[in-house]
Amino acid sequence: MKIKANGNEVQIEREMTIFEMLDVLNVSMKEYVTVQLNGQIIPRSEYDKVTVKEGDEVEFLYFMGGGLL
């Protein structure tokens, strides 16, 4: 099935949870990533409950800090 991940079309074998998808797509720094599914930020506590389905759009977001004041 096809989904869109960070703007790129990606093929995955089946519907899966966000937690599973992070592994399948080899997302780096999984412990720091925020997932947006179809325009909605998904709480980390829901990663093992929310399912990614055909046609979904997923964005992996990393919030950076730093700089000088």
Side-chain angles (χ1 to χ4, degrees), residues 8-50:
N8 298 311
E9 196 168 275
V10 176
Q11 186 79 27
I12 58 176
E13 293 183 23
R14 59 179 172 77
E15 290 185 6
M16 58 184 64
T17 65
I18 291 173
F19 186 73
E20 292 171 310
M21 183 196 58
L22 292 173
D23 278 336
V24 168
L25 297 181
N26 295 315
V27 173
S28 63
M29 299 188 302
K30 293 176 197 122
E31 63 276 9
Y32 300 113
V33 71
T34 297
V35 177
Q36 180 176 311
L37 179 63
N38 299 321
Q40 180 178 354
I41 300 290
I42 306 299
R44 189 174 308 278
S45 62
E46 299 292 312
Y47 286 7
D48 62 340
K49 298 174 185 87
V50 175

Side-chain angles (χ1 to χ4, degrees), residues 1-4 38 53-57:
M1 65 184 235
K2 293 179 184 177
I3 63 170
K4 201 171 256 191
N38 299 321
K53 301 174 181 73
E54 175 82 31
D56 281 349
E57 293 187 23

